[in-house]
Amino acid sequence: MTTLSHNLHTVQTRIAAACVAAGRSPQSVTLLAVSKTFSASDVQEVADCGQRDFGENYIQEGVDKIVAFRADPHVPALVWHCIGPIQSNKTKLVAEHFDWAHTIDRLKIAQRLNDQRPAHLPPLQVCLQVNTDGGATKSGVTPDDVLTLALDVAKLPRLSLRGLMTIPDPVDGFEAQVAVHNKARALFGEMKAVLNLPQFDTLSMGMTGDLEAAIHAGSTMVRVGTAIFGGRTFAG
C-alpha cells in the first residue's frame, strides 16, 4: 500500500469511526480530498483508490488539473470543488470548469457564476460561505445576512443552492470545536426550514484537525488535505 493510499484509508477510517460515535451512517459524510499545490499524478493515485471528490483552492491550478483529467478517457469522472476565494475576474473559469463552488459570500459573484455557466452543463452546485465565529480575517457572509443572500441565490437558474460552508478559526479541544461547529449546524437547520429547497442538504465543515468534531456537529462534507497528501511546501 502506497503512502497516499494508506493516508486515504486512514482518513476514511477516521470518518467512519466519527460517524459511528455520533450515531450516523458513514455514507452521510462525503470526503473532499483537498489537492491544492499537489500534482496531477498525486490526484491520480488517490483517484485510483476510489476517491472521486477533489477540492482546489487556486482556481487556475485547479482548471489545469480538470482539463488534463477530462481529456483522458481512461480516468473515471471526478467531481471538482472550488473551495478558494472567487474574485470577479475568475468567475468565468469557475463557471466553465468546476462542478461545485463553496465560497460564495456576495450576490455579485453568484450572479456572475450564474450568467457564465455554460448552457450545456448542469447547474453549478454552490454553498454559501458563512463567517460563523466572527473571525476578523475570515471571509464569509455574516449569519445575520446569509438568509437574504440565500433567497437571492436560490432564484438564479444556473446555480443549485446546496448548503453552507464554514472555516472557523482553530480552537483547542473536542468540545470547543463541537461548540463552534454547532453554530453552523443550527443556522443550517433554520435556513433549511425557511428555504424549503429539497437540494439544500450540504454542510461543508471540518478539516484534518477537527473532522471528528465537525461530524459530531452534523457536517455532511469534510475537506481534508494534509492528512491525505501530506504537508505542503510553498516557494519563498
Side-chain angles (χ1 to χ4, degrees):
M1 182 179 287
T2 67
T3 298
L4 290 180
S5 61
H6 172 76
N7 291 350
L8 178 65
H9 177 72
T10 299
V11 171
Q12 291 169 334
T13 301
R14 285 178 62 189
I15 291 171
C19 287
V20 170
R24 300 175 58 189
S25 165
Q27 285 70 45
S28 67
V29 177
T30 297
L31 170 60
L32 180 54
V34 180
S35 47
K36 67 177 182 181
T37 78
F38 289 96
S39 67
S41 62
D42 289 331
V43 173
Q44 179 71 68
E45 187 172 341
V46 175
D48 286 344
C49 298
Q51 177 65 27
R52 293 292 174 262
D53 289 83
F54 290 86
E56 289 286 333
N57 292 63
Y58 308 125
I59 292 170
Q60 186 59 61
E61 177 193 339
V63 168
D64 291 343
K65 292 175 188 173
I66 292 168
V67 170
F69 278 99
R70 287 183 177 161
D72 187 344
H74 301 101
V75 177
L78 303 180
V79 181
W80 294 94
H81 301 244
C82 178
I83 59 173
I86 304 173
Q87 303 300 325
S88 295
N89 64 341
K90 295 294 180 68
T91 53
K92 192 170 189 289
L93 287 173
V94 175
E96 291 181 345
H97 295 281
F98 283 87
D99 302 295
W100 284 69
H102 287 233
T103 56
I104 294 175
D105 59 4
R106 291 175 289 157
L107 182 58
K108 174 186 175 182
I109 297 299
Q111 289 173 325
R112 289 179 64 87
L113 291 170
N114 176 79
D115 296 345
Q116 294 168 337
R117 183 68 169 175
H120 71 278
L121 294 178
L124 182 66
Q125 311 299 297
V126 301
C127 292
L128 306 182
Q129 183 174 354
V130 188
N131 185 357
T132 50
D133 61 344
T137 62
K138 294 291 183 180
S139 299
V141 62
T142 67
D144 289 341
D145 294 331
V146 66
L147 180 57
T148 298
L149 177 59
L151 290 168
D152 288 333
V153 171
K155 298 173 185 176
L156 299 174
R158 302 298 299 145
L159 304 183
S160 179
L161 179 58
R162 295 298 300 271
L164 303 179
M165 182 270 238
T166 65
I167 312 176
D169 287 329
V171 294
D172 293 327
F174 180 80
E175 293 301 329
Q177 292 171 350
V178 170
V180 171
H181 289 308
N182 273 339
K183 295 179 183 179
R185 179 65 184 87
L187 183 61
F188 176 78
E190 294 168 5
M191 292 180 62
K192 188 173 179 66
V194 174
L195 292 168
N196 194 29
L197 296 173
Q199 77 274 16
F200 194 82
D201 59 2
T202 301
L203 189 53
S204 172
M205 62 183 188
M207 297 185 285
T208 293
D210 65 347
L211 70 84
E212 286 85 0
I215 290 171
H216 185 86
S219 174
T220 67
M221 185 177 291
V222 292
R223 309 177 304 272
V224 179
T226 302
I228 296 173
F229 292 99
R232 295 176 173 86
T233 301
F234 297 93

